[in-house]
Amino acid sequence: MPTYRAPVKDTLFVLEAVAGLYNQSHVPGFEAVSPDLVEAVLNEGDSFYAMAAKQAA
């Protein structure tokens, strides 16, 4: 059975190139946002989903 994997690289591209996430450091609360942090959060979300899907099966 195929397993779902979150499109982390695609999401990172959209956040950076389309939304300009890393150009928002002047917005309160976004000072510490970095590409490494965003990638880590997305990867952990993918891992969490994979674990939950495995337990549900």
Side-chain angles (χ1 to χ4, degrees), residues 22-55:
Y22 308 122
N23 296 327
Q24 303 301 322
S25 62
H26 64 281
V27 177
F30 279 78
E31 299 90 356
V33 174
S34 69
D36 292 337
L37 175 64
V38 174
E39 185 172 6
V41 169
L42 293 173
N43 281 323
E44 285 302 315
D46 179 49
S47 298
F48 178 79
Y49 175 81
M51 178 190 66
K54 185 176 181 180
Q55 289 179 353

Side-chain angles (χ1 to χ4, degrees), residues 3-14:
T3 58
Y4 173 78
R5 299 302 304 192
V8 173
K9 296 295 180 191
D10 294 338
T11 304
L12 286 170
F13 172 76
V14 170

